[in-house]
Amino acid sequence: MRHAHPTHGASGRGLSTGAVVGAAAVGLIAGLAATVGRKAVVQGAEALAGDWFDILKAEHLMVLELFDRLEQTDETEVKKRAVLLAKIKQALDKHAAQEEMVVYPALRMQDAEGGAAKLYADHGEVKTFLYELETLAKDDPAWLSRARAFRRTLEEHIREEEETVFPAFRETLSEEEDARLTKLLHKEGFKRA
C-alpha cells in the first residue's frame, strides 16, 4: 500500500483541492477576525473617551503626540518620518471623515454664522499640507519646517473647534441629540478604522 506524503494528496501531485479551499477559508476568517478585532480595539478606545466631543478631543491629542515624535526627527530619519506621516495621515483621514460626515452637517443645520463652512475649508488646507509633505523629499531641509507649519495650522483649527465652535454647538443639543451624534460618530469611525 502506497502512503501519500503528508503535503500531497492521494494523487501525490500536491495539496488536494479540499486542503487549499480549507486553508483559504481559514485565512479569510482570520483576516476578517483581525480586521474586526482591530476595529473593536479602536472603537473600544473611543468608547472610553466619552461622547462625540470627548472622542474628537482625544483624537486631536493623539495626532499632536504623533507630531511631537515627528518633530524630533532629522534628515537622516527618512523612514521614520514616512511612517509617522503615514500614521498622522491615517488618523486625520478617519478624524476628518467623522467630523465631515457627522458633526459638521449637524452643525451646519443650525449654523447661522457659517462656522461649519470655515471648518470644512480648514480640512482642505490639512489635505494640502499632507500632500505637500508626502511629495516633498523626507530628507529635504525644508521638510521639517513645513511639518511644523502644518502643526501650527492644525493647532489653530483644533483650538477653534475645542474652545469655540464645539462647546457652543454642544450647548444647543438635547441629551438625545448628543447621544445620537455620539452613536453616529462611532459608526463612522468604525468604517474608517
Side-chain angles (χ1 to χ4, degrees), residues 69-70 72-73 77-85:
R69 293 174 47 201
L70 182 73
Q72 294 171 3
T73 64
E77 298 174 290
V78 171
K79 287 182 183 176
K80 187 173 184 179
R81 283 181 174 181
V83 167
L84 288 168
L85 182 62

Side-chain angles (χ1 to χ4, degrees), residues 106-120:
L107 175 63
R108 179 173 256 163
M109 289 177 64
Q110 58 178 256
D111 184 15
E113 298 175 24
K118 183 189 182 309
L119 296 176
Y120 277 114

Side-chain angles (χ1 to χ4, degrees), residues 4 16 19 41 67 77 86 89 93 104 110 112 118 123-124 130 135 143 147 151 156 163 166 172 174 179 186:
S16 70
V41 167
F67 268 100
E77 298 174 290
K89 184 179 187 300
D93 283 348
Y104 293 178
Q110 58 178 256
K118 183 189 182 309
H123 281 199
L130 285 168
T135 58
W143 195 89
R151 180 188 183 136
E156 189 176 304
E163 295 175 9
F166 289 169
T172 68
S174 68
H186 280 293

